[in-house]
Amino acid sequence: MNASQSSPPAPARSWRWAVLAVVVAAQAVFFYSRCDGDERRAQGTFGMPNPYLDGPSIQDRGMLGTRAPAQPGDLVVSQGKALVAGLATDGTRVYFGESLLGQRILAVPVAGGAETTLGSGGMPLDVALGKDVLVVADAGGLMVDGQGKITAFPLDGSGEPRVLASRLVLPSAVAVSATHAYWIDGGTVERDYTDGFVARAPLAGGAHTVLAAGERAPSGLAVDATHVYWARQDVNKQGEVVRMPIGGGPIEVVSSGQDRVKRITIVGTNLYWISAKDLDGTRAAVRSAPIKGGPALDVAVAESRMCSMAIDGEAVYWSDPGEIGGTGASTRGRILKKPLAGGEPTVLASGQDRPCYVAVDATHVYFSTQSLERVKRTPKDSASASP
């Protein structure tokens, strides 16, 4: 099925806030309470003491209200005034989107320093690194469907960004192969999310193709040399992880009987994902199964919540946001690590304000927080990790 033909934009609807809750809703009141730019006022929106002044300090040396480059050894890599959306690293730079006030796609050295603006975005929800490009899934307008798009931004900043697909409803996850970008569109509430789909387009540009249509509430996405993997809801609205040949073909079930699936990752011959009760990551676990299908096993279980995770060849790393709501900074978030071979989890960073997005390289774990929208890092070696 070729999706290059134009289709009318889907109708506007207010349910977008619910679907975008992980990125936006938890921060709405907090964002309003400081929208006038006065980071130091003593009273909050509801007449309560400002947690930045009266609460425990966050465990880093970043300056409030600035995008200050980190000093060697600092936890803060980048700091701004807009919501961090998506996170990826190639070991040299960290890449992410800024939504709401920022609406930019940025690259920052892994140890902090001058940022590079790769381009602009509306509501970026996910990013994926290719060899020469950063591919961004952008939902566009907050309340109007049909404004989403998939865009490839050259990593060196040269040339114009290439829009690979447009007029999408909710492109919430993206993955990249050597030649193509893959993404999912979550579907519409009017059709009970049964009109979601999985698609791909050449990174060089050209018509995009729908690989799987009629997918109920698809989520998560990963791709390897032969298959593309995602999750969907079955007829009983239980989550199941499935796969399809990268060029299209029959859909195979990898694992059924899951909860809400987020963040699918491939390591070797195994598939990993987060299975949670809700968008907040309540009662979540990182689970694993062979890529060809088989019994799913728990790799790591959250004590409270999981927002996101990343995996290298040795361990799984995840973010525990702690408190989800609230009008000020929280100090209960953590970054944790657990070896894939088994063992007890290790806390790499604590005292964080609702960490979410996670990425890893050879030496560090990078993560986003809601406290002044920082991107931070902490060593993967627990012996040198922050308190």
Side-chain angles (χ1 to χ4, degrees):
M1 176 178 178
N2 191 289
S4 60
Q5 296 180 347
S6 299
S7 57
R13 62 182 188 277
S14 60
W15 65 271
R16 176 64 59 83
W17 290 109
V19 179
L20 296 178
V22 173
V23 180
V24 178
Q27 179 125 339
V29 176
F30 172 64
F31 215 94
Y32 174 77
S33 70
R34 60 181 176 86
C35 64
D36 64 353
D38 186 1
E39 307 285 357
R40 300 292 295 172
R41 58 185 176 182
Q43 297 295 315
T45 304
F46 300 105
M48 300 298 290
N50 190 332
Y52 284 115
L53 300 181
D54 302 323
S57 61
I58 303 296
Q59 298 296 318
D60 64 62
R61 304 202 305 270
M63 298 171 58
L64 292 176
T66 67
R67 181 180 289 281
Q71 299 299 316
D74 276 357
L75 196 64
V76 177
V77 173
S78 180
Q79 177 175 309
K81 285 181 172 290
L83 296 175
V84 175
L87 194 63
T89 183
D90 56 11
T92 301
R93 298 193 293 181
V94 179
Y95 305 86
F96 58 95
E98 287 186 332
S99 58
L100 293 183
L101 295 181
Q103 299 184 338
R104 296 185 298 167
I105 310 301
L106 297 175
V108 181
V110 293
E115 65 188 26
T116 299
T117 300
L118 300 182
S120 61
M123 178 59 71
L125 297 181
D126 196 20
V127 301
L129 268 172
K131 180 181 178 181
D132 302 312
V133 296
L134 181 74
V135 179
V136 177
D138 191 335
L142 282 174
M143 306 295 289
V144 180
D145 296 330
Q147 294 186 359
K149 60 183 179 180
I150 306 296
T151 307
F153 295 87
L155 294 182
D156 61 4
S158 66
E160 292 295 322
R162 296 186 295 275
V163 176
L164 306 182
S166 59
R167 303 185 68 184
L168 304 176
V169 175
L170 187 63
S172 57
V174 64
V176 177
S177 71
T179 58
H180 286 77
Y182 296 77
W183 68 92
I184 58 173
D185 196 306
T188 61
V189 66
E190 294 86 357
R191 298 180 182 177
D192 195 24
Y193 310 107
T194 58
D195 54 344
F197 62 87
V198 181
R200 76 170 189 169
L203 290 173
H208 67 278
T209 302
V210 172
L211 300 176
E215 295 293 282
R216 184 192 295 272
S219 62
L221 193 66
V223 63
D224 62 17
T226 60
H227 287 79
V228 56
Y229 306 80
W230 70 95
R232 64 185 183 185
Q233 292 182 350
D234 62 20
V235 293
N236 298 315
K237 296 190 176 180
Q238 288 188 308
E240 60 181 9
V241 180
V242 299
R243 73 173 190 166
M244 168 189 281
I246 54 175
I251 297 176
E252 302 172 307
V253 176
V254 175
S255 183
S256 59
Q258 304 298 312
D259 292 320
R260 184 181 293 273
V261 174
K262 306 191 297 179
R263 287 292 163 192
I264 298 175
T265 301
I266 303 167
V267 178
T269 59
N270 289 313
L271 202 63
Y272 297 82
W273 65 89
I274 294 177
S275 178
K277 289 296 183 183
D278 53 35
L279 284 171
D280 289 336
T282 306
R283 294 165 57 186
V286 176
R287 312 202 78 195
S288 176
I291 58 176
K292 295 181 179 180
L297 303 175
D298 286 347
V299 177
V301 178
E303 294 180 7
S304 57
R305 297 181 176 91
M306 276 186 192
C307 188
S308 188
M309 63 95 171
I311 298 179
D312 59 17
E314 298 179 352
V316 55
Y317 308 82
W318 73 92
S319 54
D320 175 358
E323 300 169 347
I324 298 297
T327 60
S330 166
T331 58
R332 297 186 179 181
R334 301 181 300 168
I335 302 299
L336 299 99
K337 167 186 177 180
K338 184 178 180 181
L340 296 179
E344 294 300 316
T346 301
V347 177
L348 299 182
S350 61
Q352 304 303 312
D353 184 11
R354 288 157 287 185
C356 186
Y357 294 100
V358 181
V360 296
D361 63 14
T363 59
H364 286 80
V365 183
Y366 304 86
F367 57 97
S368 66
T369 73
Q370 288 192 15
S371 178
L372 299 182
E373 288 65 64
R374 297 175 182 176
V375 174
K376 301 182 178 182
R377 72 174 187 170
T378 187
K380 292 164 64 174
D381 178 7
S382 60
S384 57
S386 67

